[in-house]
Amino acid sequence: MEQFSPAAQVIIALIPIIGIVFAAVLIFFALLWRHHEIKMQISKGTYEVKRFNFRLFALFSGLSLTGVGVMLTLMFFLMNSISWGLLGGLIPLVLGIMNIIFYKMLPNEK
C-alpha cells in the first residue's frame, strides 16, 4: 500500500474541515439575509406569517422513510440474510410506517 507524504496527509485532512466551515458560513449568511428580509417586510407591513403544513410533512417524511427502509431492508437481507446490519433498513422502515400512521391519526386542518 502506498504511503502519502505528511504534507499530502495534512491537505487531505483539511479538505472536510474547510468544507464544513464553508457550509456553516454560507448557512449563517443565508439565515442573516432571511432575518433582515423579514425585518424589512415587518417594517413595511407586507409580512405574512406562513403556516407550516405539519400533516403534509408527516405524509412526505413517512413515504420517504418507508421507501428508503424497504430498499435498505431488501438489500441487507439479500446480502447477509438475518444479521444486525438488517437494522439499518428496518429502522427507517418502522419510522416511515409510524409517520404514516401519525398522518392518518392527525385531525384535518380547516
Side-chain angles (χ1 to χ4, degrees):
M1 190 164 136
E2 183 180 331
Q3 284 289 341
F4 295 109
S5 70
Q9 289 178 351
V10 169
I11 291 172
I12 290 171
L14 285 177
I15 289 174
I17 295 170
I18 292 170
I20 291 169
V21 169
F22 181 73
V25 169
L26 193 66
I27 290 170
F28 170 77
F29 282 110
L31 290 173
L32 183 66
W33 178 275
R34 181 71 181 139
H35 167 71
H36 286 293
E37 187 179 43
I38 290 173
K39 205 164 63 170
M40 291 298 290
Q41 286 177 346
I42 290 172
S43 68
K44 292 186 181 206
T46 60
Y47 179 70
E48 293 180 18
V49 178
K50 296 177 184 170
R51 291 181 43 96
F52 182 72
N53 191 345
F54 196 68
R55 188 169 166 79
L56 183 63
F57 176 75
L59 177 63
F60 175 71
S61 63
L63 290 174
S64 298
L65 283 170
T66 302
V68 168
V70 166
M71 289 296 115
L72 286 175
T73 302
L74 285 174
M75 184 192 72
F76 289 138
F77 183 73
L78 293 175
M79 286 176 58
N80 293 334
S81 186
I82 302 293
S83 69
W84 287 106
L86 195 59
L87 285 175
L90 288 175
I91 291 172
L93 176 64
V94 170
L95 288 174
I97 291 171
M98 290 295 118
N99 267 347
I100 293 173
I101 291 171
F102 178 72
Y103 167 78
K104 292 290 186 187
M105 293 173 53
L106 205 62
N108 288 336
E109 294 179 12
K110 293 184 181 180

